[in-house]
């Protein structure tokens, strides 16, 4: 029960931090890190598995497996050791994780840029702004 209350408090703290701070461009973000890890393993797995339908299927399955283990295992390990340190270290770690998972302020900011560009500069400029949200070429 105590962990559940700490988790509820962490979600609330993370939400408030997101509303106040958002996602500053200068801070590293777990999603960007995950993208870099995916790119690394994709290059490695393309060398291991042949460029056939079966090879790409197995390579993709391995990539999913690796990313599932890393993206679940790393937060679990951080929270496990933080809780062993103290319940307040757990609360702090989980609050930061909740803050980084939420993106309400940043999504609003970036979507308003798309809206503004669409109204004043046209579809092409709006597509450029959308690429900041989706992280890929929106053309």
């Amino acid at each position: 029960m105590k962990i559940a209350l700490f988790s509820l408090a962490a979600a609330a703290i993370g939400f408030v931090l997101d509303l106040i701070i958002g996602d500053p461009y200068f801070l590293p973000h777990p999603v960007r890190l995950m993208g870099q890890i995916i790119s690394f393993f994709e290059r490695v797995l393309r060398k291991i598995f042949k460029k056939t339908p079966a090879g790409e299927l197995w390579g993709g399955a391995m990539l999913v497996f690796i990313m599932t283990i890393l993206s679940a295992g790393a937060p679990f390990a951080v929270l496990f050791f933080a809780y062993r340190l103290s319940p307040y270290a757990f609360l702090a770690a989980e609050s930061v994780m909740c803050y980084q998972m939420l993106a309400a302020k940043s999504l609003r900011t970036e979507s308003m840029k798309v809206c503004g560009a669409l109204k004043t500069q046209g579809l092409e400029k709006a597509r450029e702004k959308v690429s900041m949200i989706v992280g890929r070429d929106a053309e």
Side-chain angles (χ1 to χ4, degrees):
M1 184 67 175
K2 190 176 187 180
I3 290 179
L5 291 176
F6 273 105
S7 292
L8 183 60
I13 292 167
F15 182 70
V16 170
L17 286 173
D18 178 59
L19 290 179
I20 294 169
I21 303 169
D23 289 326
Y25 293 114
F26 66 88
L27 286 179
H29 197 276
V31 173
R32 282 189 224 121
L33 176 62
M34 288 172 63
Q36 293 168 347
I37 293 170
I38 288 169
S39 294
F40 170 77
F41 278 111
E42 184 179 13
R43 284 190 303 274
V44 169
L45 292 170
R46 286 192 183 277
K47 292 177 183 174
I48 295 171
F49 294 96
K50 294 180 180 175
K51 191 171 171 91
T52 64
E56 289 184 347
L57 178 67
W58 282 105
M62 287 297 300
L63 184 58
V64 167
F65 178 75
I66 290 167
M67 289 309 299
T68 301
I69 296 299
L70 290 176
S71 61
F76 175 81
V78 168
L79 291 175
F80 176 80
F81 289 113
Y83 190 76
R84 298 210 40 162
L85 186 62
S86 98
Y88 298 102
F90 175 83
L91 176 64
E94 192 170 20
S95 295
V96 169
M97 287 180 185
C98 287
Y99 158 65
Q100 290 186 319
M101 287 188 308
L102 300 170
K105 182 176 181 178
S106 296
L107 282 175
R108 183 181 188 288
T109 300
E110 297 302 326
S111 64
M112 293 311 291
K113 289 178 185 177
V114 173
C115 183
L118 192 56
K119 286 180 181 177
T120 61
Q121 297 170 314
L123 186 60
E124 289 305 313
K125 198 66 171 173
R127 282 187 177 152
E128 285 178 30
K129 302 292 183 188
V130 166
S131 69
M132 290 299 295
I133 298 172
V134 298
R136 58 180 57 91
D137 185 7
E139 203 173 300

